[in-house]
Amino acid sequence: VDEVEGPRGEWWELDPTVAHLNHGAFGAVPRTVLAEQRRWHEAVERNPTEFYWRTLPREMNAVRRQVAAFVGADPGRCVLLPNVTSGIGLVLASVMLAKGDEVLLTDDTYPGVRAAAEAACARVGAKVVTAALPADDLSSAAIERAVLECVTGRTRLAIIDHITSPTAVLVDVIRLTAALKASGVCVAIDGAHAPGSIPLNVDVIGADFYTGNFHKWCCAPRGSAFLAVGEGHQAEVIRGVVGSRAMEGYPTGLEWRGTTDYSAILSTPAALTFLQQLGWDDVQAQNRAMVTRGAELVATALHAQPPPRALVPMVSMPLETNDADAVHRLREELATRRIEVTLVVCRRQGYLRISSHLYSQLDDFTRLAGALTELLPGRRDGPLTKS
Ligand SMILES: Cc1ncc(COP(=O)(O)O)c(C=O)c1O
């Protein structure tokens, strides 16, 4: 990977005047993968009927087999979906919640996942329970402890992040899943950030459901994800399905979302091949090393202790505020300086989250550190000051 240091930014369409430190949010698609997606669009237009009736079912079967091998899941348990939002939606549509049941989330749960869980609970008189997480301990152990303390006899489902979105914690989902299942809790893992960012073996985790995105760290076009469903749950999942092929059952009946664009899913093998050719271990090690080094630079600007060596290609650092408006203002101030990062409030604390992928350079982090030095300390009218 080091040998390609020079031109690798050119493998993407990214605007070179912007410091793109926000890969974890929306990904970024390499030119070669975009070309593959264009080929699929052209194939549709040459003969739409041929494509939707004959090519698509055949190709979806092939992609399902390929991505299942990549994530370490039995292909018979996997369905291809546009995103994790829809994966979580299917889980909540299929786990039979009843009045009085509890669905366990955490302070770090992604807002869209929380909204879906709250809506599902409200329909039947169940309730969401949120495990409170400490603002000063970004460890898996703290999450595991807080989650397990919230388990009651009424806990029906726990939705656990594999890598937390606001705080970038890699959770020991094997250990936590085993503990939850031992208490009779159904476990769904939200692996939105996992495929491509860490080695992944879904079947070893043993959760009832696991859903993950390919359009983040695998650099697939947006609209590519999967859901792996444990045996015993597949019939339940079908019940939640709409679409004119629902009667086909599992898995193809779940994958037909009507007449829409399936090119992101069909281009996912090209994205996997692109990164595979560079070597997954090297790619992941390089991203962790770069974000660790970048976090050191940023920590200096924040007058903070450098965070520990990154286990994933993202690092979150606490800010000296918990004011959501101030955090939003800082994000927009940075954007006007052509620096894109995630800034959020969760765990009653503001956090800055930085991401690194192969196109990232140390200079991007230096720019961020410089901007923070300028924007944060001693500025009474600075973006972290209440207006
Ligand atoms: C932890 C987590 N869950 C779910 C999602 C939603 O993913 P998508 O927008 O691809 O549906 C995200 C998106 O960033 C996330 O970080």
Side-chain angles (χ1 to χ4, degrees), residues 27 49 66 84 90 101 124 164 173 176 185 199 240 250 252 290 294 322-323 327 334 345:
T49 310
Q66 206 168 330
V84 162
L90 275 176
D101 282 351
V124 295
T164 60
V173 284
L176 185 51
V185 178
Y250 197 94
T252 56
M290 178 66 90
N322 59 8
D323 180 57
V327 164
L334 290 169
V345 175

Side-chain angles (χ1 to χ4, degrees), residues 366-378:
T366 308
R367 276 177 60 191
L368 172 62
L372 290 172
T373 307
E374 202 184 301
L375 287 167
L376 293 183

Side-chain angles (χ1 to χ4, degrees), residues 9-162:
E10 291 162 23
W11 296 347
W12 277 263
E13 298 273 359
L14 293 163
D15 180 343
T17 67
V18 175
H20 301 276
L21 299 173
N22 201 25
H23 189 94
F26 303 112
V29 188
R31 291 177 201 274
T32 161
V33 181
L34 288 173
E36 172 74 357
Q37 190 175 28
R38 259 192 309 276
R39 279 192 288 277
W40 281 116
H41 284 150
E42 286 161 10
V44 177
E45 297 315 324
R46 271 195 302 277
N47 186 343
T49 310
E50 168 76 14
F51 178 82
Y52 281 100
W53 275 353
R54 292 175 279 271
T55 309
L56 184 61
R58 185 180 67 234
E59 295 295 331
M60 291 287 274
N61 285 338
V63 172
R64 192 182 324 103
R65 278 195 298 275
Q66 206 168 330
V67 301
F70 175 71
V71 300
D74 176 345
R77 300 175 56 212
C78 284
V79 292
L80 301 170
L81 296 174
N83 50 37
V84 162
T85 299
S86 58
I88 293 291
L90 275 176
V91 171
L92 287 163
S94 44
V95 174
M96 288 304 279
L97 294 173
K99 191 171 165 47
D101 282 351
E102 293 172 357
V103 174
L104 182 48
L105 309 177
T106 78
D107 277 340
D108 281 359
T109 299
Y110 189 73
V113 173
R114 171 174 301 281
E118 278 170 356
C121 286
R123 275 196 290 275
V124 295
K127 75 168 182 186
V128 166
V129 172
T130 302
L133 302 177
D136 59 352
D137 184 354
L138 301 189
S139 69
S140 174
I143 293 176
E144 293 168 60
R145 210 163 33 239
V147 166
L148 293 175
E149 274 170 11
C150 288
V151 173
T152 72
R154 292 180 299 278
T155 312
R156 176 84 179 89
L157 170 70
I159 305 180
I160 302 297
D161 293 318
H162 197 164

Side-chain angles (χ1 to χ4, degrees), residues 236-250:
E236 298 166 25
V237 173
I238 296 288
R239 252 202 333 265
V241 171
V242 291
S244 57
R245 294 189 188 162
M247 72 290 286
E248 284 179 19
Y250 197 94

